Short mmCIF file of all heavy atoms in Angstrom, two decimals:
data_model
loop_
_atom_site.label_atom_id
_atom_site.label_comp_id
_atom_site.label_asym_id
_atom_site.label_seq_id
_atom_site.Cartn_x
_atom_site.Cartn_y
_atom_site.Cartn_z
N MET A 1 0.86 -1.18 0.01
CA MET A 1 0.01 -0.03 0.02
C MET A 1 0.91 1.24 -0.02
O MET A 1 1.91 1.32 0.69
CB MET A 1 -0.88 -0.03 1.24
CG MET A 1 -1.94 0.99 1.24
SD MET A 1 -3.07 0.92 2.70
CE MET A 1 -4.27 -0.22 2.10
N ASN A 2 0.56 2.25 -0.80
CA ASN A 2 1.29 3.44 -0.80
C ASN A 2 0.48 4.55 -0.03
O ASN A 2 -0.56 4.30 0.51
CB ASN A 2 1.64 3.92 -2.26
CG ASN A 2 0.39 4.16 -3.05
OD1 ASN A 2 -0.61 4.63 -2.51
ND2 ASN A 2 0.48 3.91 -4.36
N CYS A 3 1.13 5.76 0.05
CA CYS A 3 0.55 6.86 0.84
C CYS A 3 -0.83 7.22 0.38
O CYS A 3 -1.70 7.40 1.22
CB CYS A 3 1.48 8.04 0.81
SG CYS A 3 3.08 7.69 1.65
N ARG A 4 -1.02 7.36 -0.95
CA ARG A 4 -2.26 7.75 -1.48
C ARG A 4 -3.35 6.76 -1.13
O ARG A 4 -4.48 7.21 -0.73
CB ARG A 4 -2.16 7.89 -2.98
CG ARG A 4 -2.79 9.15 -3.52
CD ARG A 4 -2.99 9.05 -5.08
NE ARG A 4 -4.00 8.06 -5.36
CZ ARG A 4 -5.31 8.27 -5.35
NH1 ARG A 4 -5.75 9.47 -5.07
NH2 ARG A 4 -6.16 7.35 -5.62
N GLU A 5 -3.05 5.44 -1.25
CA GLU A 5 -4.01 4.47 -0.93
C GLU A 5 -4.34 4.43 0.58
O GLU A 5 -5.51 4.26 1.01
CB GLU A 5 -3.45 3.07 -1.34
CG GLU A 5 -3.48 2.86 -2.80
CD GLU A 5 -2.60 1.63 -3.26
OE1 GLU A 5 -1.71 1.26 -2.49
OE2 GLU A 5 -2.83 1.11 -4.36
N SER A 6 -3.32 4.70 1.39
CA SER A 6 -3.55 4.80 2.82
C SER A 6 -4.54 5.90 3.11
O SER A 6 -5.48 5.70 3.93
CB SER A 6 -2.19 5.04 3.53
OG SER A 6 -1.32 4.00 3.24
N ILE A 7 -4.28 7.09 2.60
CA ILE A 7 -5.13 8.25 2.83
C ILE A 7 -6.55 8.03 2.38
O ILE A 7 -7.45 8.41 3.07
CB ILE A 7 -4.42 9.52 2.25
CG1 ILE A 7 -3.24 9.93 3.10
CG2 ILE A 7 -5.44 10.67 2.23
CD1 ILE A 7 -2.27 10.86 2.52
N ASP A 8 -6.65 7.29 1.25
CA ASP A 8 -7.96 6.92 0.78
C ASP A 8 -8.82 6.10 1.75
O ASP A 8 -10.07 6.26 1.77
CB ASP A 8 -7.82 6.16 -0.51
CG ASP A 8 -7.68 6.98 -1.74
OD1 ASP A 8 -7.81 8.25 -1.52
OD2 ASP A 8 -7.44 6.47 -2.79
N VAL A 9 -8.15 5.23 2.55
CA VAL A 9 -8.90 4.38 3.42
C VAL A 9 -8.93 4.82 4.85
O VAL A 9 -9.55 4.21 5.69
CB VAL A 9 -8.30 2.87 3.32
CG1 VAL A 9 -8.48 2.34 1.99
CG2 VAL A 9 -6.95 2.85 3.86
N LEU A 10 -8.36 6.02 5.18
CA LEU A 10 -8.25 6.50 6.51
C LEU A 10 -9.63 6.73 7.16
O LEU A 10 -9.81 6.37 8.27
CB LEU A 10 -7.44 7.80 6.62
CG LEU A 10 -6.00 7.62 6.79
CD1 LEU A 10 -5.34 9.03 6.98
CD2 LEU A 10 -5.54 6.63 7.81
N ALA A 11 -10.56 7.28 6.35
CA ALA A 11 -11.94 7.58 6.96
C ALA A 11 -12.53 6.21 7.33
O ALA A 11 -13.20 6.16 8.42
CB ALA A 11 -12.76 8.25 5.94
N ASP A 12 -12.46 5.24 6.51
CA ASP A 12 -12.94 3.85 6.81
C ASP A 12 -12.26 3.26 8.05
O ASP A 12 -12.79 2.53 8.88
CB ASP A 12 -12.88 2.95 5.59
CG ASP A 12 -13.76 3.40 4.55
OD1 ASP A 12 -14.76 4.07 4.75
OD2 ASP A 12 -13.46 3.02 3.30
N TYR A 13 -10.91 3.55 8.05
CA TYR A 13 -10.14 3.12 9.25
C TYR A 13 -10.74 3.59 10.51
O TYR A 13 -10.98 2.95 11.50
CB TYR A 13 -8.73 3.49 9.10
CG TYR A 13 -7.82 3.20 10.26
CD1 TYR A 13 -7.44 1.84 10.50
CD2 TYR A 13 -7.19 4.19 11.04
CE1 TYR A 13 -6.62 1.46 11.57
CE2 TYR A 13 -6.41 3.88 12.10
CZ TYR A 13 -6.05 2.57 12.35
OH TYR A 13 -5.27 2.23 13.41
N LEU A 14 -10.98 4.94 10.57
CA LEU A 14 -11.56 5.59 11.77
C LEU A 14 -13.00 5.09 12.03
O LEU A 14 -13.34 5.05 13.23
CB LEU A 14 -11.54 7.09 11.61
CG LEU A 14 -10.14 7.73 11.63
CD1 LEU A 14 -10.19 9.23 11.44
CD2 LEU A 14 -9.39 7.34 12.92
N ASP A 15 -13.73 4.77 11.03
CA ASP A 15 -15.07 4.18 11.20
C ASP A 15 -15.01 2.68 11.57
O ASP A 15 -16.06 2.10 11.84
CB ASP A 15 -15.91 4.35 9.94
CG ASP A 15 -16.32 5.78 9.75
OD1 ASP A 15 -16.25 6.52 10.71
OD2 ASP A 15 -16.66 6.10 8.64
N ALA A 16 -13.78 2.16 11.50
CA ALA A 16 -13.60 0.64 11.75
C ALA A 16 -14.43 -0.15 10.83
O ALA A 16 -14.93 -1.14 11.19
CB ALA A 16 -13.92 0.30 13.22
N THR A 17 -14.42 0.32 9.51
CA THR A 17 -15.16 -0.54 8.57
C THR A 17 -14.31 -1.18 7.49
O THR A 17 -14.78 -1.71 6.53
CB THR A 17 -16.21 0.39 7.82
OG1 THR A 17 -15.48 1.46 7.19
CG2 THR A 17 -17.26 0.92 8.74
N LEU A 18 -12.94 -1.13 7.80
CA LEU A 18 -12.00 -1.75 6.82
C LEU A 18 -12.09 -3.27 7.01
O LEU A 18 -12.29 -3.85 8.14
CB LEU A 18 -10.59 -1.29 7.17
CG LEU A 18 -10.22 0.11 6.80
CD1 LEU A 18 -8.78 0.36 7.14
CD2 LEU A 18 -10.45 0.40 5.30
N THR A 19 -11.84 -3.95 5.89
CA THR A 19 -11.75 -5.44 5.97
C THR A 19 -10.36 -5.70 6.63
O THR A 19 -9.41 -4.94 6.56
CB THR A 19 -11.74 -6.09 4.56
OG1 THR A 19 -10.65 -5.56 3.81
CG2 THR A 19 -13.01 -5.71 3.80
N PRO A 20 -10.30 -6.88 7.36
CA PRO A 20 -9.02 -7.21 8.01
C PRO A 20 -7.85 -7.19 7.13
O PRO A 20 -6.70 -6.81 7.51
CB PRO A 20 -9.23 -8.68 8.58
CG PRO A 20 -10.82 -8.78 8.58
CD PRO A 20 -11.40 -7.91 7.52
N ASP A 21 -8.08 -7.56 5.81
CA ASP A 21 -6.96 -7.52 4.86
C ASP A 21 -6.44 -6.13 4.57
O ASP A 21 -5.25 -5.91 4.67
CB ASP A 21 -7.55 -8.14 3.56
CG ASP A 21 -6.51 -8.40 2.53
OD1 ASP A 21 -5.44 -8.93 2.94
OD2 ASP A 21 -6.71 -8.05 1.35
N VAL A 22 -7.34 -5.12 4.33
CA VAL A 22 -6.98 -3.79 4.13
C VAL A 22 -6.32 -3.18 5.38
O VAL A 22 -5.39 -2.46 5.35
CB VAL A 22 -8.13 -2.96 3.58
CG1 VAL A 22 -7.76 -1.52 3.36
CG2 VAL A 22 -8.66 -3.57 2.29
N LEU A 23 -7.01 -3.56 6.48
CA LEU A 23 -6.54 -3.03 7.81
C LEU A 23 -5.05 -3.39 8.01
O LEU A 23 -4.26 -2.58 8.47
CB LEU A 23 -7.40 -3.55 8.90
CG LEU A 23 -7.12 -3.11 10.36
CD1 LEU A 23 -7.27 -1.61 10.45
CD2 LEU A 23 -7.94 -3.82 11.34
N ALA A 24 -4.73 -4.69 7.77
CA ALA A 24 -3.36 -5.11 7.96
C ALA A 24 -2.39 -4.38 6.97
O ALA A 24 -1.28 -4.05 7.45
CB ALA A 24 -3.32 -6.67 7.71
N GLN A 25 -2.83 -4.15 5.82
CA GLN A 25 -1.93 -3.43 4.85
C GLN A 25 -1.77 -2.00 5.34
O GLN A 25 -0.65 -1.48 5.18
CB GLN A 25 -2.61 -3.47 3.51
CG GLN A 25 -2.55 -4.72 2.75
CD GLN A 25 -3.22 -4.66 1.38
OE1 GLN A 25 -2.94 -3.70 0.59
NE2 GLN A 25 -4.16 -5.52 1.08
N LEU A 26 -2.81 -1.33 5.76
CA LEU A 26 -2.75 -0.01 6.25
C LEU A 26 -1.82 0.11 7.46
O LEU A 26 -0.92 0.93 7.50
CB LEU A 26 -4.12 0.51 6.62
CG LEU A 26 -4.12 2.01 7.24
CD1 LEU A 26 -3.57 2.97 6.24
CD2 LEU A 26 -5.48 2.39 7.69
N GLU A 27 -1.97 -0.80 8.39
CA GLU A 27 -1.16 -0.80 9.63
C GLU A 27 0.38 -1.04 9.28
O GLU A 27 1.17 -0.42 9.87
CB GLU A 27 -1.67 -1.75 10.66
CG GLU A 27 -2.96 -1.15 11.27
CD GLU A 27 -3.55 -2.15 12.35
OE1 GLU A 27 -3.34 -3.26 12.31
OE2 GLU A 27 -4.28 -1.55 13.24
N ALA A 28 0.54 -1.91 8.30
CA ALA A 28 1.91 -2.17 7.87
C ALA A 28 2.54 -0.95 7.23
O ALA A 28 3.73 -0.64 7.46
CB ALA A 28 1.95 -3.32 6.86
N HIS A 29 1.75 -0.18 6.51
CA HIS A 29 2.24 1.04 5.97
C HIS A 29 2.48 2.09 6.99
O HIS A 29 3.49 2.85 6.94
CB HIS A 29 1.25 1.63 4.89
CG HIS A 29 1.72 2.93 4.26
ND1 HIS A 29 2.64 2.85 3.21
CD2 HIS A 29 1.43 4.20 4.50
CE1 HIS A 29 2.91 4.22 2.93
NE2 HIS A 29 2.18 4.94 3.71
N LEU A 30 1.57 2.25 7.95
CA LEU A 30 1.73 3.25 9.00
C LEU A 30 2.92 2.96 9.85
O LEU A 30 3.57 3.98 10.34
CB LEU A 30 0.49 3.25 9.90
CG LEU A 30 -0.79 3.87 9.27
CD1 LEU A 30 -1.96 3.66 10.21
CD2 LEU A 30 -0.66 5.27 8.87
N ARG A 31 3.32 1.73 9.99
CA ARG A 31 4.53 1.40 10.74
C ARG A 31 5.75 1.94 10.15
O ARG A 31 6.69 2.35 10.87
CB ARG A 31 4.64 -0.11 10.90
CG ARG A 31 4.17 -0.66 12.30
CD ARG A 31 4.67 -2.05 12.62
NE ARG A 31 4.22 -2.97 11.60
CZ ARG A 31 2.96 -3.60 11.69
NH1 ARG A 31 2.20 -3.39 12.62
NH2 ARG A 31 2.68 -4.48 10.74
N VAL A 32 5.78 2.01 8.82
CA VAL A 32 7.01 2.46 8.15
C VAL A 32 6.92 3.81 7.62
O VAL A 32 7.92 4.33 7.09
CB VAL A 32 7.42 1.51 7.00
CG1 VAL A 32 7.71 0.13 7.56
CG2 VAL A 32 6.34 1.42 6.01
N CYS A 33 5.80 4.54 7.76
CA CYS A 33 5.62 5.86 7.05
C CYS A 33 5.22 6.86 8.09
O CYS A 33 4.01 6.98 8.48
CB CYS A 33 4.56 5.71 6.00
SG CYS A 33 4.47 7.20 5.01
N ALA A 34 6.20 7.70 8.55
CA ALA A 34 5.89 8.76 9.57
C ALA A 34 4.92 9.86 8.95
O ALA A 34 4.04 10.22 9.78
CB ALA A 34 7.22 9.39 9.98
N PRO A 35 5.06 10.28 7.72
CA PRO A 35 4.10 11.28 7.24
C PRO A 35 2.62 10.78 7.34
O PRO A 35 1.77 11.59 7.74
CB PRO A 35 4.48 11.55 5.83
CG PRO A 35 5.91 11.12 5.77
CD PRO A 35 6.10 9.99 6.74
N CYS A 36 2.39 9.52 7.04
CA CYS A 36 1.02 9.03 7.10
C CYS A 36 0.55 8.92 8.53
O CYS A 36 -0.61 9.13 8.87
CB CYS A 36 0.87 7.69 6.40
SG CYS A 36 0.77 7.94 4.61
N ARG A 37 1.44 8.61 9.43
CA ARG A 37 1.09 8.55 10.87
C ARG A 37 0.70 9.90 11.39
O ARG A 37 -0.25 10.12 12.07
CB ARG A 37 2.24 8.05 11.75
CG ARG A 37 2.38 6.57 11.72
CD ARG A 37 3.14 6.07 13.00
NE ARG A 37 4.46 6.59 13.05
CZ ARG A 37 5.59 6.09 12.40
NH1 ARG A 37 5.50 4.99 11.75
NH2 ARG A 37 6.78 6.64 12.52
N ALA A 38 1.46 10.95 10.89
CA ALA A 38 1.17 12.33 11.31
C ALA A 38 -0.13 12.75 10.70
O ALA A 38 -1.02 13.47 11.34
CB ALA A 38 2.27 13.25 10.78
N TYR A 39 -0.35 12.37 9.50
CA TYR A 39 -1.64 12.68 8.79
C TYR A 39 -2.82 12.03 9.56
O TYR A 39 -3.86 12.66 9.73
CB TYR A 39 -1.61 12.17 7.32
CG TYR A 39 -2.81 12.62 6.55
CD1 TYR A 39 -2.90 13.89 5.93
CD2 TYR A 39 -3.95 11.84 6.46
CE1 TYR A 39 -4.02 14.31 5.24
CE2 TYR A 39 -5.03 12.20 5.78
CZ TYR A 39 -5.11 13.43 5.19
OH TYR A 39 -6.22 13.83 4.45
N LEU A 40 -2.58 10.79 9.89
CA LEU A 40 -3.68 10.08 10.63
C LEU A 40 -4.02 10.83 11.95
O LEU A 40 -5.22 11.04 12.35
CB LEU A 40 -3.28 8.60 10.94
CG LEU A 40 -4.22 7.88 11.75
CD1 LEU A 40 -5.62 7.74 11.01
CD2 LEU A 40 -3.69 6.44 12.07
N ALA A 41 -2.97 11.30 12.67
CA ALA A 41 -3.16 11.97 13.94
C ALA A 41 -3.98 13.24 13.70
O ALA A 41 -4.87 13.50 14.50
CB ALA A 41 -1.88 12.22 14.60
N THR A 42 -3.60 14.01 12.65
CA THR A 42 -4.31 15.25 12.41
C THR A 42 -5.77 14.98 12.00
O THR A 42 -6.70 15.62 12.42
CB THR A 42 -3.61 15.91 11.24
OG1 THR A 42 -2.20 16.07 11.46
CG2 THR A 42 -4.15 17.34 11.03
N TYR A 43 -5.89 13.98 11.19
CA TYR A 43 -7.21 13.57 10.60
C TYR A 43 -8.19 13.17 11.77
O TYR A 43 -9.25 13.60 11.82
CB TYR A 43 -7.03 12.42 9.66
CG TYR A 43 -8.27 12.14 8.89
CD1 TYR A 43 -8.46 12.64 7.59
CD2 TYR A 43 -9.28 11.28 9.38
CE1 TYR A 43 -9.58 12.36 6.84
CE2 TYR A 43 -10.39 11.00 8.62
CZ TYR A 43 -10.51 11.51 7.39
OH TYR A 43 -11.66 11.30 6.66
N LYS A 44 -7.54 12.39 12.72
CA LYS A 44 -8.35 11.90 13.85
C LYS A 44 -8.84 13.07 14.73
O LYS A 44 -9.91 13.16 15.14
CB LYS A 44 -7.41 11.00 14.64
CG LYS A 44 -8.10 9.79 15.26
CD LYS A 44 -7.03 9.03 15.97
CE LYS A 44 -7.47 7.66 16.42
NZ LYS A 44 -6.25 6.82 16.85
N ARG A 45 -7.84 14.03 14.94
CA ARG A 45 -8.16 15.18 15.75
C ARG A 45 -9.21 16.00 15.18
O ARG A 45 -10.19 16.41 15.86
CB ARG A 45 -6.89 15.99 15.99
CG ARG A 45 -6.84 16.68 17.38
CD ARG A 45 -5.53 17.43 17.63
NE ARG A 45 -4.37 16.53 17.40
CZ ARG A 45 -3.32 16.86 16.77
NH1 ARG A 45 -3.26 18.11 16.17
NH2 ARG A 45 -2.30 16.08 16.57
N SER A 46 -9.20 16.21 13.84
CA SER A 46 -10.21 17.10 13.29
C SER A 46 -11.57 16.39 13.21
O SER A 46 -12.56 16.96 13.32
CB SER A 46 -9.81 17.58 11.91
OG SER A 46 -9.08 16.66 11.16
N ALA A 47 -11.49 14.98 13.09
CA ALA A 47 -12.78 14.23 13.16
C ALA A 47 -13.43 14.35 14.46
O ALA A 47 -14.64 14.54 14.62
CB ALA A 47 -12.52 12.81 12.72
N GLU A 48 -12.60 14.21 15.57
CA GLU A 48 -13.07 14.39 16.88
C GLU A 48 -13.61 15.77 17.11
O GLU A 48 -14.66 15.92 17.74
CB GLU A 48 -12.01 14.08 17.93
CG GLU A 48 -11.68 12.56 18.08
CD GLU A 48 -10.35 12.33 18.72
OE1 GLU A 48 -9.72 13.31 19.16
OE2 GLU A 48 -9.97 11.21 18.82
N LEU A 49 -12.91 16.72 16.68
CA LEU A 49 -13.28 18.10 16.78
C LEU A 49 -14.64 18.40 16.07
O LEU A 49 -15.52 19.05 16.65
CB LEU A 49 -12.20 19.03 16.22
CG LEU A 49 -11.94 20.33 16.87
CD1 LEU A 49 -11.36 20.04 18.29
CD2 LEU A 49 -10.86 21.12 16.12
N ALA A 50 -14.75 17.82 14.89
CA ALA A 50 -16.01 18.08 14.12
C ALA A 50 -17.15 17.35 14.87
O ALA A 50 -18.28 17.91 14.90
CB ALA A 50 -15.87 17.41 12.75
N ALA A 51 -16.98 16.21 15.48
CA ALA A 51 -17.93 15.53 16.24
C ALA A 51 -18.39 16.39 17.42
O ALA A 51 -19.60 16.48 17.77
CB ALA A 51 -17.48 14.16 16.67
N LYS A 52 -17.39 16.94 18.07
CA LYS A 52 -17.67 17.86 19.19
C LYS A 52 -18.45 19.06 18.83
O LYS A 52 -19.39 19.47 19.52
CB LYS A 52 -16.31 18.29 19.88
CG LYS A 52 -16.24 17.85 21.30
CD LYS A 52 -14.87 18.20 21.92
CE LYS A 52 -14.05 16.95 21.88
NZ LYS A 52 -12.62 17.29 22.21
N VAL A 53 -18.06 19.67 17.68
CA VAL A 53 -18.80 20.88 17.26
C VAL A 53 -20.24 20.60 16.92
O VAL A 53 -21.09 21.38 17.18
CB VAL A 53 -17.99 21.46 15.97
CG1 VAL A 53 -18.86 22.48 15.32
CG2 VAL A 53 -16.68 22.11 16.42
N ASN A 54 -20.46 19.39 16.43
CA ASN A 54 -21.88 19.02 16.11
C ASN A 54 -22.73 18.87 17.36
O ASN A 54 -23.87 19.11 17.32
CB ASN A 54 -21.92 17.80 15.27
CG ASN A 54 -21.48 18.06 13.86
OD1 ASN A 54 -21.65 19.14 13.38
ND2 ASN A 54 -21.03 17.02 13.15
N ARG A 55 -22.07 18.37 18.40
CA ARG A 55 -22.79 18.13 19.62
C ARG A 55 -22.97 19.43 20.43
O ARG A 55 -24.06 19.64 20.99
CB ARG A 55 -21.99 17.06 20.42
CG ARG A 55 -22.82 15.90 20.81
CD ARG A 55 -22.09 14.89 21.57
NE ARG A 55 -20.97 14.32 20.85
CZ ARG A 55 -19.69 14.25 21.21
NH1 ARG A 55 -19.44 14.68 22.47
NH2 ARG A 55 -18.70 13.66 20.49
N VAL A 56 -21.89 20.20 20.48
CA VAL A 56 -21.92 21.41 21.39
C VAL A 56 -22.31 22.62 20.55
O VAL A 56 -21.93 22.76 19.39
CB VAL A 56 -20.53 21.58 22.01
CG1 VAL A 56 -20.53 22.84 22.93
CG2 VAL A 56 -20.16 20.35 22.77
N GLU A 57 -23.12 23.44 21.18
CA GLU A 57 -23.45 24.74 20.62
C GLU A 57 -22.25 25.58 20.33
O GLU A 57 -21.27 25.65 21.13
CB GLU A 57 -24.44 25.42 21.58
CG GLU A 57 -24.93 26.81 21.15
CD GLU A 57 -26.07 26.65 20.09
OE1 GLU A 57 -26.47 25.50 19.84
OE2 GLU A 57 -26.46 27.67 19.52
N MET A 58 -22.28 26.30 19.22
CA MET A 58 -21.14 27.20 18.84
C MET A 58 -21.12 28.34 19.91
O MET A 58 -22.18 29.02 20.14
CB MET A 58 -21.36 27.71 17.45
CG MET A 58 -20.09 28.26 16.80
SD MET A 58 -20.48 29.03 15.21
CE MET A 58 -20.54 27.56 14.19
N PRO A 59 -19.91 28.64 20.44
CA PRO A 59 -19.81 29.76 21.43
C PRO A 59 -20.25 31.07 20.73
O PRO A 59 -20.00 31.30 19.55
CB PRO A 59 -18.37 29.83 21.81
CG PRO A 59 -17.80 28.57 21.32
CD PRO A 59 -18.63 27.99 20.23
N PRO A 60 -20.94 32.00 21.48
CA PRO A 60 -21.46 33.19 20.86
C PRO A 60 -20.42 34.05 20.18
O PRO A 60 -20.65 34.61 19.07
CB PRO A 60 -22.03 33.96 22.07
CG PRO A 60 -22.25 32.95 23.11
CD PRO A 60 -21.24 31.85 22.85
N GLU A 61 -19.21 34.10 20.80
CA GLU A 61 -18.15 34.93 20.09
C GLU A 61 -17.66 34.37 18.82
O GLU A 61 -17.35 35.08 17.93
CB GLU A 61 -16.99 35.20 21.05
CG GLU A 61 -16.05 34.05 21.40
CD GLU A 61 -16.55 33.26 22.63
OE1 GLU A 61 -17.75 33.39 23.03
OE2 GLU A 61 -15.74 32.57 23.28
N VAL A 62 -17.74 33.05 18.71
CA VAL A 62 -17.32 32.46 17.43
C VAL A 62 -18.42 32.68 16.39
O VAL A 62 -18.10 33.01 15.27
CB VAL A 62 -17.11 30.95 17.67
CG1 VAL A 62 -16.90 30.23 16.26
CG2 VAL A 62 -16.01 30.64 18.61
N ARG A 63 -19.68 32.62 16.84
CA ARG A 63 -20.76 32.83 15.95
C ARG A 63 -20.70 34.31 15.39
O ARG A 63 -20.91 34.55 14.22
CB ARG A 63 -22.10 32.55 16.61
CG ARG A 63 -23.17 32.07 15.60
CD ARG A 63 -24.45 31.83 16.36
NE ARG A 63 -24.25 31.10 17.60
CZ ARG A 63 -25.19 30.95 18.59
NH1 ARG A 63 -26.38 31.47 18.39
NH2 ARG A 63 -24.89 30.34 19.70
N GLN A 64 -20.44 35.22 16.41
CA GLN A 64 -20.35 36.62 15.94
C GLN A 64 -19.25 36.85 14.99
O GLN A 64 -19.43 37.54 13.99
CB GLN A 64 -20.14 37.42 17.22
CG GLN A 64 -20.16 38.97 16.95
CD GLN A 64 -21.50 39.38 16.42
OE1 GLN A 64 -22.59 39.06 16.88
NE2 GLN A 64 -21.44 40.07 15.27
N ARG A 65 -18.13 36.24 15.30
CA ARG A 65 -16.93 36.38 14.38
C ARG A 65 -17.21 35.84 13.03
O ARG A 65 -16.87 36.43 11.94
CB ARG A 65 -15.69 35.63 15.00
CG ARG A 65 -14.42 36.48 14.84
CD ARG A 65 -13.25 35.73 15.50
NE ARG A 65 -13.52 35.52 16.90
CZ ARG A 65 -12.94 34.47 17.62
NH1 ARG A 65 -12.19 33.66 17.02
NH2 ARG A 65 -13.15 34.32 18.91
N LEU A 66 -17.92 34.68 13.00
CA LEU A 66 -18.31 34.07 11.71
C LEU A 66 -19.28 35.01 10.97
O LEU A 66 -19.11 35.15 9.73
CB LEU A 66 -18.95 32.76 11.99
CG LEU A 66 -19.20 31.80 10.79
CD1 LEU A 66 -17.85 31.35 10.26
CD2 LEU A 66 -20.06 30.61 11.20
N ARG A 67 -20.20 35.63 11.72
CA ARG A 67 -21.15 36.46 11.00
C ARG A 67 -20.47 37.71 10.49
O ARG A 67 -20.76 38.12 9.32
CB ARG A 67 -22.24 36.87 12.09
CG ARG A 67 -23.56 37.24 11.38
CD ARG A 67 -24.59 37.59 12.48
NE ARG A 67 -24.86 36.45 13.31
CZ ARG A 67 -25.29 36.45 14.59
NH1 ARG A 67 -25.41 37.64 15.24
NH2 ARG A 67 -25.55 35.36 15.26
N ASP A 68 -19.52 38.23 11.22
CA ASP A 68 -18.76 39.39 10.82
C ASP A 68 -18.00 39.06 9.53
O ASP A 68 -17.97 39.80 8.57
CB ASP A 68 -17.71 39.90 11.85
CG ASP A 68 -18.42 40.46 13.07
OD1 ASP A 68 -19.61 40.80 12.94
OD2 ASP A 68 -17.73 40.69 14.03
N PHE A 69 -17.43 37.82 9.54
CA PHE A 69 -16.62 37.41 8.41
C PHE A 69 -17.53 37.25 7.18
O PHE A 69 -17.16 37.73 6.15
CB PHE A 69 -15.91 36.07 8.81
CG PHE A 69 -15.23 35.48 7.58
CD1 PHE A 69 -13.93 35.93 7.28
CD2 PHE A 69 -15.73 34.39 6.96
CE1 PHE A 69 -13.25 35.38 6.20
CE2 PHE A 69 -15.06 33.85 5.84
CZ PHE A 69 -13.83 34.35 5.47
N LEU A 70 -18.68 36.66 7.41
CA LEU A 70 -19.48 36.42 6.22
C LEU A 70 -20.16 37.69 5.65
O LEU A 70 -20.46 37.76 4.47
CB LEU A 70 -20.62 35.41 6.67
CG LEU A 70 -20.17 34.01 6.89
CD1 LEU A 70 -21.37 33.17 7.50
CD2 LEU A 70 -19.59 33.34 5.70
N SER A 71 -20.33 38.72 6.50
CA SER A 71 -21.02 39.91 6.01
C SER A 71 -20.00 40.91 5.41
O SER A 71 -20.37 41.86 4.89
CB SER A 71 -21.75 40.57 7.20
OG SER A 71 -20.80 40.94 8.18
N ARG A 72 -18.69 40.55 5.53
CA ARG A 72 -17.73 41.42 5.04
C ARG A 72 -17.74 41.48 3.44
O ARG A 72 -17.98 40.48 2.86
CB ARG A 72 -16.35 40.98 5.42
CG ARG A 72 -15.41 42.20 5.68
CD ARG A 72 -14.06 41.70 6.31
NE ARG A 72 -14.25 41.28 7.67
CZ ARG A 72 -13.45 40.46 8.34
NH1 ARG A 72 -12.42 39.93 7.66
NH2 ARG A 72 -13.64 40.13 9.53
ZN1 ZN B 101 2.60 6.97 3.77
#
């Protein structure tokens, strides 16, 4: 598996929907590829963040800033 293929399956990896075969290939690639490990960490963090944002109400100051930005 190369980097592009790994990144293609990362979303499924986080959803735990990969077949054992693909999972083994991805884990083998991650063991030898630091950039993909870093990408996975970032991807995971933003996925968690997005999940949190959906659950939690947007803080008023952020909403105001967003409104200011959009009305510019
Ligand atoms: Zn890679």
Side-chain angles (χ1 to χ4, degrees):
M1 190 177 272
N2 60 34
C3 293
R4 226 194 68 83
E5 287 166 338
S6 303
I7 285 165
D8 276 351
V9 299
L10 275 187
D12 293 336
Y13 175 69
L14 292 178
D15 288 341
T17 56
L18 287 181
T19 62
D21 191 45
V22 177
L23 182 64
Q25 286 180 51
L26 176 63
E27 286 180 337
H29 180 80
L30 289 175
R31 259 197 299 279
V32 297
C33 186
C36 281
R37 280 201 302 272
Y39 185 86
L40 175 63
T42 310
Y43 192 94
K44 219 178 190 169
R45 212 174 309 134
S46 40
E48 283 165 4
L49 218 62
K52 236 176 265 169
V53 166
N54 285 335
R55 236 178 295 129
V56 180
E57 180 77 6
M58 199 186 278
E61 70 267 24
V62 175
R63 209 180 318 168
Q64 185 59 51
R65 222 177 300 152
L66 191 67
R67 207 175 296 151
D68 290 347
F69 175 78
L70 292 174
S71 63
R72 214 175 288 156

